[in-house]
Amino acid sequence: MIGDTDGRVIALGLARMADALGNSFLIIVLPLYIASGQVSLGGLVGGDLFGVAVGEELLIGFVLSLFGFVNSFGQPFTGRLSDRLGKRKSFVLFGLVLFAIGSVAYPFLTNYWAVLVARGFQGIGAAFTVPATVALVNDYARSDSERGGNFGVFNTFRLIGFGFGPIVAGVVIRFGPYPTPFGLLSGFDAAFGVAVAGAIVSFLLVYAVVDDPPTLDAEAGDDLSVRILERSGPGRFDSVFVLGVATFFMAMTIALFAPLEAPIRARLNEGTFLFSVQFAAVVIANVLLQIPIGSASDTYGRRPFLLAGFVILVPAVFAQGVVSTPLTMLVARLLQGVAVALVFAPSLALAGDLAREGQSGSTLSVLTMAFGLGVAVGPLTAGFLYNAGRLSTPFTFGAVAALVALVLVYTQVRESLPTDADSGATPLGED
């Protein structure tokens, strides 16, 4: 499938892989950097925020979550603007510059508030990059029959960067400092340098290979609002809106696991290595399955894969709250990875199928925003529900959310047939 894929899609995938590697570096590095004492917390620890005691963990959580919230809430605006201006490539490049500037700044920041601002600045950069990138992947599809394959290839490269970034980050910090002609380079500074390098590599790839579709300017529409209700059926939700809600729930279930490392390891009587393998299982399953599932959705339609994904996701998430051995947890995580792979590329492809000409940026930003928001909300949900109940509570909640997503997709999402352009078939729900 990769050999048949548009070279520009592969370039975008490689660019997102380098960018995702740099961003996942920071997910690991920033908590360690703040906890190392090199960042002054300005007397914030020990205070009170809305009745909750402020600890170092809460401050670190704010830094990590801010990126997700700024990135997610900014995407609808940048996605719409890229549609109006017809300048997707410029948006990607501008966002990568903002991300690189934030990474360059970290070694010079010694105040917690400055670190928070830098991370928010990077969130703005991601808000420019992400919707414009997925819109380009969608625009490059010559027909609906290759859109799923495009997103499968793109997501595979992106997930490789995101999945292996934390491992590389741990190695870089572990073996620092490093001698250079200008003196010793600390492990933290080297890690920040890798994040900058990732953004630079992404910038060069996009600049050299990627271009805006020539018809984008002429086709960009004025009606860029996101619909909640479908025009063709009274009381029926818009399919893209439902896909966004379902994507949010799916992403939230992915993010429930990491914040509960300590209680999960205690219950399973396992070490850090086994937990890291279980954590990576979701990403590994996605890397292996994104391309074949994306391509298959071009042939057999999107809805069957979406429904199968959520059917598997419900028990896979629930099981993580009740399993009692490391092996059964690994199986549950692998099943969750299969479920996510069944949903991820087909949902983006279906949103692309349903997008109006010149509006793929605003349409697909609904899904990318929902995914980023789910990843940001997931850790907060896990911590709150664990404190309010027990270890099974967050995962039971996640399973219920996945079940709601299944019902919504089954009852509300219509499908644009992948062969419409070639066969003249009428999209389901529009005859």
Side-chain angles (χ1 to χ4, degrees), residues 182-240:
F182 307 100
L184 288 177
L185 183 69
S186 74
F188 286 119
D189 289 347
F192 292 136
V194 172
V196 174
I200 292 175
V201 170
S202 298
F203 185 96
L204 294 176
L205 276 170
V206 173
Y207 182 81
V209 179
V210 173
D211 52 27
D212 288 317
T215 59
L216 191 59
D217 269 331
E219 294 175 348
D222 293 324
D223 181 13
L224 300 173
S225 59
V226 176
R227 296 194 306 274
I228 295 178
L229 296 178
E230 180 63 70
R231 288 194 182 100
S232 60
R236 185 184 181 92
F237 287 109
D238 178 72
S239 294
V240 174

Side-chain angles (χ1 to χ4, degrees), residues 340-411:
V340 172
L342 285 165
V343 172
F344 212 174
S347 63
L348 285 169
L350 179 52
D353 294 340
L354 298 174
R356 293 185 170 189
E357 293 289 347
Q359 296 187 17
S360 57
S362 53
T363 300
L364 291 168
S365 70
V366 175
L367 272 64
T368 56
M369 176 192 71
F371 186 86
L373 193 58
V375 170
V377 169
L380 302 177
T381 302
F384 176 80
L385 292 177
Y386 173 71
N387 290 330
R390 50 187 179 180
L391 183 56
S392 62
T393 307
F395 296 106
T396 301
F397 178 82
V400 172
L403 181 60
V404 172
L406 172 62
V407 172
L408 284 173
V409 171
Y410 181 75
T411 60

